[in-house]
Amino acid sequence: MPVCVPVFMTGFRMFSLSEMKAATNNFSEHNLIGRGGSATVYKGVISDVLVAIKRFCAARHLRRDVDHYVNVFALLGQHQNIVCFLGYCQETTYEKMLYKGRYVEAEITSMIVVEEYTPNGNLSDIIEGQCPQMDWSIIFQIIQGMAQGIAHLHWKNIIHMDLKPENILFDSNMNPKICDFEMCKIFDQEVTQEVTEELAGTLGYMAPEYIAQGVISAKNDVYSFGLLVLSTIRGMSRSGLLQHSIEWAWEVREAQSLKDLFDSASCGESQLQEVERRIHIGLLCTQDNPRERPTMPDVLRMLNSEERPAAPTPPSFIKR
C-alpha cells in the first residue's frame, strides 16, 4: 500500500468554513477564478495575503479525496515548481432545503483546499496566443521548471496523471507551478506501474498505453510533458494551429523549416539551436513505446547538456 500520512500529522492548517466564506466574500462570483468539472476556484484573502481557494463539488468528491490531496502535499514538501499548499477545510453543516414541497435538514460536507495565488495565468494562454509574445529565455525557463517539478514528483513516487496547459500556473516571475493533484497516483517504492480499467485525465494529453491498456507509470507524465513542450513551441511559432503538436513537430523537424517560423530579431541562431533541442526532447518524450521515452532525470540532463540526444522514432500515425 502507498505511504499514507494521517491528516492530523501533516502540519497543514485546517480552516473553518466560516473562514473560507469570509476570505471569498461568501464564495461570490466576483471572486471566481475558474470552474472545472471537479472544483470551483476562488481568489481569497487570508491575513492580508491573496490565496487561491478550491472548493470541490460535494456531489462528486468524498471526504477521502481531500485526505488524499493533503497526503500528496505532505509527501511532496515544498518545491519551487509545485504550487504551494497552505491548508484545507473539511466541515459538515446541516441546512434546511426544500424537497418535494417541504423543508428537510440536509447534511452538506464542504471540501476545500487553500493554495498560493498565482497571478499570471497558465500555459494555455501562451499556447493559444492569448498573451503577448514572450522572450525565448522565459519559454526556456518555463520548460526547465516544468521538468524540475515533474522530476520532483517522480522522485517522491507520485505520478500526476493530468498534466495539461491549464495545470501549469505562473507566479509573478513567470515561474511555472504544477497544480491540481486530485487524479495523481502514489506508488510504493518498489512499484513502477499498475493497470486500471477506469481512465481519468485529459484525453489530448494521455499516453497511448494508458488509453489502450490502462497502464499507469511515470512514463505517462513524461509523455504529457513532451506534449506540453511541443505545444508551447508551436504556440510561440503561431503556426500549425490545426495540427496535432506531434505531427507539427515532425513536419518541422523533417523539413528543417524552423528558421522560417520565427522572427530572426527575436530568435537568433543560438536560440534556434535551443528550440530545436527542445523539439527533439519533446519528440523523444512522446514516443509510442514508453520504454523508448526518457525518464525525467534524463530529460533534465538533456536540457542542460550540449550533447545531441538520441534520434526519436516517428509515431505510428506519421506517414513516411
Side-chain angles (χ1 to χ4, degrees), residues 7 27 103 144 170-171 273 279:
V7 168
F27 301 106
Y103 283 95
Q144 178 79 18
F170 298 121
D171 66 13
Q273 291 176 4
I279 289 177

Side-chain angles (χ1 to χ4, degrees), residues 146 149-151 153-154 157-164 178 181 183-185 205-207 209-210 215-228 285-286 293-296 299:
M146 289 192 297
I150 301 167
L153 287 174
H154 293 179
N157 299 312
I158 295 173
I159 303 171
H160 189 281
M161 297 299 297
D162 196 24
L163 292 169
K164 59 183 178 180
I178 300 170
F181 291 85
M183 298 179 190
C184 72
K185 298 287 185 180
Y205 287 84
M206 290 179 183
E209 71 276 9
Y210 179 58
V215 176
I216 298 173
S217 77
K219 295 298 182 75
N220 297 144
D221 284 352
V222 173
Y223 184 89
S224 300
F225 168 77
L227 271 174
L228 290 173
C285 290
T286 52
R293 296 174 209 151
T295 65
M296 289 312 299
V299 168

Side-chain angles (χ1 to χ4, degrees), residues 78-240:
Q78 292 192 4
H79 189 277
Q80 63 180 346
N81 298 117
I82 294 172
V83 71
C84 184
F85 182 77
L86 303 174
Y88 60 100
C89 171
Q90 292 179 327
E91 187 168 312
T92 300
T93 57
Y94 296 89
E95 300 180 13
K96 290 189 179 298
M97 299 179 65
L98 190 63
Y99 178 72
K100 292 185 177 181
R102 64 188 184 93
Y103 283 95
V104 296
E105 194 172 64
E107 179 183 289
I108 300 175
T109 300
S110 294
M111 293 159 286
I112 301 167
V113 297
V114 183
E115 299 172 343
E116 68 174 305
Y117 176 69
T118 49
N120 280 328
N122 60 53
L123 188 60
S124 179
D125 299 329
I126 296 175
I127 293 173
E128 301 300 328
Q130 297 173 1
C131 61
Q133 194 81 1
M134 291 189 177
D135 188 86
W136 277 106
S137 62
I138 296 176
I139 297 300
F140 297 155
Q141 168 191 306
I142 289 169
I143 292 172
Q144 178 79 18
M146 289 192 297
Q148 290 172 171
I150 301 167
H152 181 72
L153 287 174
H154 293 179
W155 181 56
K156 295 290 186 176
N157 299 312
I158 295 173
I159 303 171
H160 189 281
M161 297 299 297
D162 196 24
L163 292 169
K164 59 183 178 180
E166 292 80 5
N167 287 343
I168 308 295
L169 307 178
F170 298 121
D171 66 13
S172 56
N173 297 315
M174 290 304 292
N175 182 50
K177 301 265 188 172
I178 300 170
C179 71
D180 279 7
F181 291 85
E182 294 96 295
M183 298 179 190
C184 72
K185 298 287 185 180
I186 304 173
F187 277 6
D188 285 332
Q189 188 73 36
E190 66 279 6
V191 175
T192 58
Q193 73 174 43
E194 65 178 48
V195 178
T196 182
E197 294 181 355
E198 298 181 5
L199 299 187
T202 303
L203 188 59
Y205 287 84
M206 290 179 183
E209 71 276 9
Y210 179 58
I211 296 172
Q213 293 128 6
V215 176
I216 298 173
S217 77
K219 295 298 182 75
N220 297 144
D221 284 352
V222 173
Y223 184 89
S224 300
F225 168 77
L227 271 174
L228 290 173
V229 170
L230 298 178
S231 298
T232 300
I233 296 173
R234 188 197 63 181
M236 286 288 288
S237 77
R238 302 290 196 265
S239 67

